[in-house]
Amino acid sequence: AFVPWLVPYLIAGYDVLLKAAKNIAHGQVFDENFLMMIATFAAFGIGEYTEGVAVMVFYQIGEWFQQYAVGKSRKSISAMMEIVPEYANLVHDGEVTEEDPEDVHVDDIILIKPGERVPLDGVVLEGSSFLDQSSLTGESVPVRISEGQEILSGCINQSEVLKVRVTKEYVDSTVSRILELVENASSRKAKVENFITRFARIYTPVVTIAAVLLAVIPPLLFGQAWAEWIRRACTFLVISCPCALVISVPLGFFAGIGAASKLGVLVKGSNYLEILSNVRTMVFDKTGTLTRGEFSVAEVLPAEGVSRETLLRTAAQLEAYSNHPIAAALRAACKDAPEAGAVTKAEEIAGQGIRAVYEEKVHVIGNLKLMDAEGIPAAALAKTGTLVYVGRKEAGGSGTYLGAVLIKDALKDGTQEALKSLQKSGIRRTVMLTGDRKEAAQEIASALGIDQVFSGLLPGDKVQCMEELLQKSSEKERIAFAGDGLNDAPVLMRADLGIAMGSLGSDAAIEAADIVLMDDDIRKIARTVAIARKTLRIVRQNIWFALGVKLIVLILGALGIAGMWLAVFADVGVAVIAILNSMRAMKLPKE
């Protein structure tokens, strides 16, 4: 009777026996494979062939469920991995050759044909096209790109041929950095995962020794039947396999990281999901995170008798040759392009503005200090933002005030919506850190409903502010910081959790952060918080369910009430239920 059962047993369980033997050879005796092996050997030893084979068959079914679940969550992460370009079309001496992207260097010229993936970061020299950035940002709408604009590796060129000058080596390119982040994501374990690993190391030898004592003590000390107590010990061993915990907990976190990657959010490890689930204070950098980081004309304030168009045109002409962001904002706001040669004798007055001849008269543009120095009667205006005053010198030496232009850094699209979503998701306090003036910072904070503002800060001051906030927080109320610039890297590292803008952010900020938003959309922070909390909730459900069922059935097994079939359910059945529960973490929460 033994031989016919041995064939299906070996077919179903050969890999378990192989793993157990290898682990024993390496000195790692106590693991789930060892438990399965001795439990099924004992079942065969007492003639329970059906149960011995059933344990292995059901274990393999549980393994299949695990592989299926891992495959599904890996698929969402592998979308990030598929961004690897296979080749680059290098232009050299008028000829185009296919090269490995790693062999292309900074300032080399490459061609990107329609349908090809962008191999390296660069600047478009010729052509305009639509780019599919979905693999980087999760955003399905193609983006228009033209001459002079930056282009990121990993995107797909959709319509026209582009000639691009490479700005980064492959090692430093966007695609390479993302791959590194994705590959390292599973190496950082959450505290819950570390607990399960430590638990399994202690638990396995304890239950093995308990099973041996259960088999030996009653027959030796009380004269009980050996067969009955060996049967109970075998049942006890099968029940005790910690499969549900060992498999479902890492799988739950893996599924959570996969769900975040579907959004275009890279989480560098499961420990960061755990921290994010406990974040109660959200700290933001202002420029580039909450605001565009680009100046634009907010208001034109002409003096009496001066038209809006005249004031703007004069300001744009006077700033025609300046490369200051404010000058660019004035030129962008003026419908008429500055005329070449319309301004002469332009001189920049440090810290004050510009004096130049325009329309055969001396004009000045700058701050109030310059207006006072030139004798132009300009009154201070009560406006938050950067005010640029414009005046004209008359023949007799007197001055005429023409008006002022208010320049502001505009809010990013969806910023207000993002802040409201964060509050709904359980973030109790929002804080803003900025190097900007107090008035400008307060205006942004009021518009967004931010609770606390620290303004006029240098990079070192931002770290000091973060230290103060951290001193007042606890492990259950963590602090996250979202920023994008080079000067944000120290704060990103110091916060409990750092969130960087991946598209526009600096390399240093992305390196220092724990979570990267690939398209800079801070609306995704609230959804990632929801994913983190859902993941932790599922992981904890699995732990309590598995431990609860195990404990009950272990007691029943020791008392002889639970048979081998119930033992199989307590092991494989609980593992399958926990795996299926973990897969729920892959589903994105509703917006």
Side-chain angles (χ1 to χ4, degrees):
F2 169 73
V3 176
W5 289 106
L6 189 61
V7 175
Y9 172 79
L10 290 173
I11 290 169
Y14 79 94
D15 58 334
V16 174
L17 301 177
L18 207 62
K19 283 177 198 168
K22 278 182 183 174
N23 290 343
I24 290 166
H26 290 106
Q28 297 170 347
V29 178
F30 297 110
D31 67 352
E32 63 187 73
N33 297 299
F34 174 75
L35 285 179
M36 299 288 289
M37 182 179 75
I38 59 169
T40 51
F41 280 6
F44 267 67
I46 58 171
E48 294 288 353
Y49 306 126
T50 312
E51 285 86 343
V53 172
V55 168
M56 285 300 186
V57 169
F58 282 111
Y59 177 76
Q60 293 297 357
I61 291 168
E63 286 287 293
W64 180 84
F65 269 105
Q66 182 202 353
Q67 283 163 13
Y68 174 75
V70 167
K72 283 214 49 153
S73 53
R74 193 184 292 278
K75 211 174 264 183
S76 57
I77 293 174
S78 68
M80 293 274 186
M81 304 296 276
E82 285 165 11
I83 62 181
V84 183
E86 293 176 7
Y87 61 88
N89 299 313
L90 182 67
V91 180
H92 186 67
D93 293 335
E95 289 188 15
V96 180
T97 55
E98 282 190 11
E99 302 286 344
D100 189 312
E102 292 187 29
D103 296 332
V104 179
H105 304 292
V106 173
D107 289 333
D108 281 350
I109 308 299
I110 57 172
L111 279 186
I112 303 158
K113 298 168 189 172
E116 289 185 338
R117 203 172 280 282
V118 178
L120 297 126
D121 295 2
V123 173
V124 178
L125 296 178
E126 286 178 27
S128 65
S129 183
F130 283 97
L131 284 190
D132 175 0
Q133 296 185 325
S134 57
S135 55
L136 293 186
T137 66
E139 187 57 59
S140 57
V141 180
V143 175
R144 182 87 185 169
I145 200 99
S146 54
E147 286 178 31
Q149 288 185 277
E150 279 190 33
I151 189 169
L152 300 178
S153 52
C155 303
I156 297 171
N157 181 21
Q158 289 194 322
S159 48
E160 304 292 331
V161 175
L162 294 173
K163 186 182 268 191
V164 174
R165 179 176 59 79
V166 176
T167 55
K168 286 181 183 175
E169 297 285 336
Y170 178 76
V171 149
D172 303 317
S173 67
T174 302
V175 70
S176 181
R177 288 209 323 269
I178 291 170
L179 281 176
E180 198 179 333
L181 298 180
V182 172
E183 284 164 358
N184 293 336
S186 59
S187 65
R188 298 172 187 268
K189 290 190 174 183
K191 278 189 179 178
V192 177
E193 277 191 271
N194 290 330
F195 160 72
I196 295 302
T197 308
R198 290 196 306 271
F199 173 82
R201 278 192 205 132
I202 299 164
Y203 170 85
T204 309
V206 166
V207 295
T208 307
I209 293 162
V212 171
L213 295 175
L214 191 65
V216 171
I217 289 174
L220 282 179
L221 298 184
F222 306 107
Q224 300 284 321
W226 282 94
E228 172 59 26
W229 286 97
I230 288 170
R231 184 194 304 275
R232 289 191 192 186
C234 293
T235 306
F236 188 87
L237 281 173
V238 175
I239 297 163
S240 65
C241 278
C243 303
L245 290 176
V246 173
I247 294 168
S248 68
V249 172
L251 181 62
F253 282 110
F254 196 61
I257 291 170
S261 72
K262 280 184 194 173
L263 277 183
V265 177
L266 270 180
V267 181
K268 291 187 185 179
S270 53
N271 54 331
Y272 302 125
L273 270 185
E274 188 174 14
I275 294 167
L276 184 60
S277 70
N278 292 321
V279 167
R280 294 294 177 272
T281 299
M282 192 74 219
V283 184
F284 295 96
D285 169 52
K286 181 178 80 73
T287 309
T289 305
L290 297 175
T291 64
R292 292 178 189 277
E294 298 167 4
F295 286 115
S296 59
V297 171
E299 217 174 326
V300 181
L301 307 157
E304 202 173 326
V306 179
S307 72
R308 186 182 183 279
E309 290 72 23
T310 301
L311 177 61
L312 253 184
R313 189 173 62 252
T314 304
Q317 283 287 176
L318 293 171
E319 295 278 11
Y321 302 110
S322 173
N323 57 7
H324 193 280
I326 287 174
L330 288 167
R331 292 195 296 271
C334 185
K335 291 175 186 173
D336 308 320
E339 297 168 35
V343 170
T344 56
K345 298 182 182 176
E347 63 172 304
E348 195 159 330
I349 299 151
Q352 293 186 11
I354 292 170
R355 183 197 291 114
V357 174
Y358 172 60
E359 293 182 342
E360 298 179 357
K361 287 191 178 179
V362 174
H363 285 70
V364 286
I365 181 168
N367 56 22
L368 273 177
K369 277 185 186 175
L370 181 60
M371 298 300 119
D372 288 345
E374 297 292 336
I376 291 164
L381 298 170
K383 298 277 183 183
T384 51
T386 303
L387 277 163
V388 179
Y389 297 91
V390 183
R392 183 175 63 225
K393 298 282 283 182
E394 304 299 344
S398 62
T400 302
Y401 173 60
L402 300 178
V405 182
L406 181 65
I407 309 284
K408 282 187 181 180
D409 185 1
L411 285 174
K412 269 188 179 179
D413 294 337
T415 305
Q416 287 170 312
E417 186 189 327
L419 270 288
K420 282 176 187 170
S421 299
L422 280 170
Q423 285 158 0
K424 282 181 191 170
S425 72
I427 301 296
R428 292 174 193 156
R429 187 165 58 136
T430 48
V431 180
M432 185 171 79
L433 307 181
T434 178
D436 210 341
R437 293 178 302 111
K438 186 179 179 181
E439 295 80 9
Q442 285 292 353
E443 187 183 23
I444 296 287
S446 301
L448 296 173
I450 287 173
D451 302 315
Q452 193 174 2
V453 181
F454 296 91
S455 55
L457 303 174
L458 296 171
D461 300 331
K462 287 184 180 181
V463 176
Q464 189 61 44
C465 287
M466 181 55 72
E467 292 280 5
E468 289 172 21
L469 291 167
L470 286 167
Q471 282 170 12
K472 296 170 188 172
S473 70
S474 65
E475 188 141 325
K476 289 185 179 178
E477 296 193 346
R478 298 299 195 106
I479 295 175
F481 175 79
D484 75 310
L486 180 65
N487 62 357
D488 294 329
V491 205
L492 283 163
M493 293 191 79
R494 187 61 196 92
D496 290 324
L497 188 84
I499 302 172
M501 309 293 121
S503 171
L504 298 173
S506 73
D507 291 359
I510 292 167
E511 198 67 37
D514 309 312
I515 292 175
V516 182
L517 306 179
M518 293 314 300
D519 62 353
D520 297 356
D521 186 351
I522 64 168
R523 284 174 290 196
K524 289 182 178 175
I525 297 176
R527 292 191 74 192
T528 312
V529 169
I531 288 169
R533 291 191 181 153
K534 182 181 177 184
T535 302
L536 264 292
R537 197 163 56 243
I538 286 168
V539 165
R540 289 189 183 113
Q541 285 168 1
N542 285 343
I543 290 170
W544 289 113
F545 172 68
L547 289 178
V549 172
K550 290 270 180 207
L551 185 62
I552 293 165
V553 183
L554 276 172
I555 294 166
L556 294 175
L559 295 172
I561 299 167
M564 191 64 79
W565 287 105
L566 189 56
V568 169
F569 167 76
D571 175 32
V572 180
V574 169
V576 168
I577 292 167
I579 287 164
L580 292 172
N581 192 37
S582 292
M583 286 175 72
R584 291 193 304 116
M586 279 187 279
K587 193 177 178 185
L588 289 173
K590 291 178 183 177
E591 287 189 56

